[in-house]
Amino acid sequence: MPTLEERVAYLEGKVEEQSRGFGELRDLILHLNSRVDALDQKVGRFREELASRIDRVEARIDRVEARIDRVEARIDALDAKF
């Protein structure tokens, strides 16, 4: 049967292992956090660029619709003459 000192030494070793494990886990979580933050920034920039592109496309569509309205008005005016 192990002595009290041996049992305490064994337990101290186990606690030390657990402490190292938790330290490594903390470091991994911090690293993961920084990666998630970087990814979040990239996604934010992508969303901004996408929104900007959508705005430009919508502006083009509005201009085309205005041109179509003018053409339709001309056609209506010609129809009225006939």
Side-chain angles (χ1 to χ4, degrees):
M1 175 182 256
T3 67
L4 180 59
E5 288 180 19
E6 291 170 335
R7 291 169 62 193
V8 168
Y10 172 80
L11 291 174
E12 286 174 341
K14 288 295 183 183
V15 168
E16 190 174 313
E17 283 178 33
Q18 294 296 321
S19 294
R20 274 195 308 270
F22 283 123
E24 290 172 5
L25 182 59
R26 184 196 70 236
D27 292 343
L28 289 171
I29 289 171
L30 290 174
H31 178 69
L32 180 60
N33 249 355
S34 66
R35 291 183 67 183
V36 167
D37 288 344
L39 182 58
D40 187 46
Q41 290 175 358
K42 285 181 182 179
V43 168
R45 287 191 300 268
F46 175 76
R47 284 182 178 171
E48 290 171 6
E49 177 62 27
L50 185 59
S52 174
R53 288 182 182 196
I54 289 171
D55 289 344
R56 289 193 303 267
V57 168
E58 287 175 343
R60 283 181 169 176
I61 290 170
D62 290 343
R63 288 192 301 271
V64 168
E65 287 176 342
R67 289 172 72 185
I68 290 170
D69 290 343
R70 288 192 302 270
V71 169
E72 286 177 343
R74 284 179 170 173
I75 290 171
D76 290 345
L78 289 173
D79 282 345
K81 285 184 181 181
F82 291 116

